[in-house]
Amino acid sequence: VSVTPTSGQAIVDSFVIAAADWEDEDIPLVYTFGYMEASKEIVLTAAASSSTTTAILPAGPAEVPFGAEYAYEVTVAVADSYGAVATASSTVQVRPYAPAPASDMLTDASELLGVSSTSDNEEQSAQLVTAFAVSLNSPSVSPSTETPEEKAHRRTKAAEIRVLLANTLLNSIKGLNDEEVGQISSAVIANEKVAFLAQSLTSVSARDEEMTEESLERSLDAVALLSSSTPNVVSSAAVQSRKVSQDLVE
């Protein structure tokens, strides 16, 4: 699997992830793209027949697990018509997002998520939501250096952004569909969509102190929809969405 560019900035840059030259007698092949966060694989796309995807990636960790700051692995899982799966990965470096001098995160999020929502692309919306949420969860300013007024202002702005992100996710989940791809069942596809939307919701709700009544309500509505979207399938995504619900109400 390859990723282009190999280095870029969260939210600002789009990354093309390609899994070229995979062959198998038992066609069709379907491709699921993702990335590694610590030791956990995060789903970027539902299984699809295309061997290439364009994704918006969150910033990588400041630690140096792959020889460079902000580096992590992007992944692809390739499945044949019998469900046999092979995987591959490649390293990408994604620097933290920083708004332009004349803008701010709330303005950028409103504009980019607005454009994404008009395209009915749930995956891109979820990717943007996750990337913005990761930026919120890793503020560029150390809280220990803030004055009380600066801290209050930052939390107020962050709370506004989390409302926007929660609303975007809820609308994306409402647009969830169960399309079939090749011989992969609609239940599997739905589960993968549940997975990346649940992962986005986890990032949005990661900081209790920045969750307002509105963002909490939207998040709980999203959890309810996620949990009911695949009623006949017991999946890690459904378990995760219920865990998010429990965390939110505690």
Side-chain angles (χ1 to χ4, degrees):
V1 62
S2 64
V3 56
T4 307
T6 57
S7 178
Q9 187 177 19
I11 298 171
V12 174
D13 294 318
S14 295
F15 296 83
V16 177
I17 309 171
D21 303 325
W22 286 78
E23 297 181 359
D24 192 290
E25 294 179 355
D26 302 314
I27 58 176
L29 299 179
V30 291
Y31 303 80
T32 304
F33 296 93
Y35 64 92
M36 298 303 296
E37 182 181 89
S39 58
K40 180 180 179 182
E41 185 171 12
I42 305 298
V43 177
L44 276 172
T45 67
S49 58
S50 175
S51 62
T52 301
T53 190
T54 300
I56 296 164
L57 298 174
E63 297 81 14
V64 192
F66 295 100
E69 284 186 315
Y70 312 120
Y72 55 90
E73 291 184 330
V74 294
T75 62
V76 64
V78 186
D80 66 16
S81 59
Y82 288 100
V85 178
T87 62
S89 64
S90 185
T91 301
V92 66
Q93 184 183 39
V94 187
R95 300 184 303 277
Y97 153 82
S103 186
D104 57 35
M105 189 184 295
L106 179 59
T107 299
D108 287 351
S110 298
E111 292 179 355
L112 291 173
L113 290 169
V115 171
S116 179
S117 64
T118 60
S119 66
D120 294 325
N121 188 333
E122 292 96 351
E123 288 179 354
Q124 185 183 71
S125 293
Q127 291 167 10
L128 274 170
V129 167
T130 299
F132 276 112
V134 168
S135 295
L136 284 177
N137 297 338
S138 304
S140 57
V141 177
S142 172
S144 63
T145 65
E146 292 178 306
T147 66
E149 292 77 13
E150 290 172 336
K151 183 177 183 179
H153 177 73
R154 176 178 58 80
R155 284 189 172 180
T156 298
K157 299 298 290 186
E160 292 180 46
I161 297 169
R162 290 188 194 274
V163 169
L164 172 63
L165 300 183
N167 273 316
T168 300
L169 273 184
L170 180 59
N171 291 332
S172 295
I173 294 167
K174 287 179 178 178
L176 201 63
N177 56 67
D178 291 343
E179 297 175 351
E180 291 189 2
V181 178
Q183 297 183 28
I184 303 298
S185 69
S186 61
V188 173
I189 300 302
N191 262 9
E192 289 168 347
K193 289 183 178 181
V194 169
F196 65 72
L197 290 166
Q199 290 155 0
S200 296
L201 182 56
T202 300
S203 296
V204 170
S205 57
R207 296 205 170 198
D208 295 343
E209 70 275 13
E210 295 173 1
M211 294 292 286
T212 64
E213 183 176 350
E214 182 178 357
S215 58
L216 178 61
E217 181 180 341
R218 298 297 182 272
S219 297
L220 290 172
D221 288 344
V223 168
L225 285 174
L226 285 176
S227 298
S228 64
S229 61
T230 52
N232 298 321
V233 180
V234 177
S235 70
S236 60
V239 171
Q240 181 179 5
S241 66
R242 290 187 176 93
K243 181 181 184 301
V244 171
S245 178
Q246 292 170 351
D247 291 344
L248 288 173
V249 298
E250 287 178 353

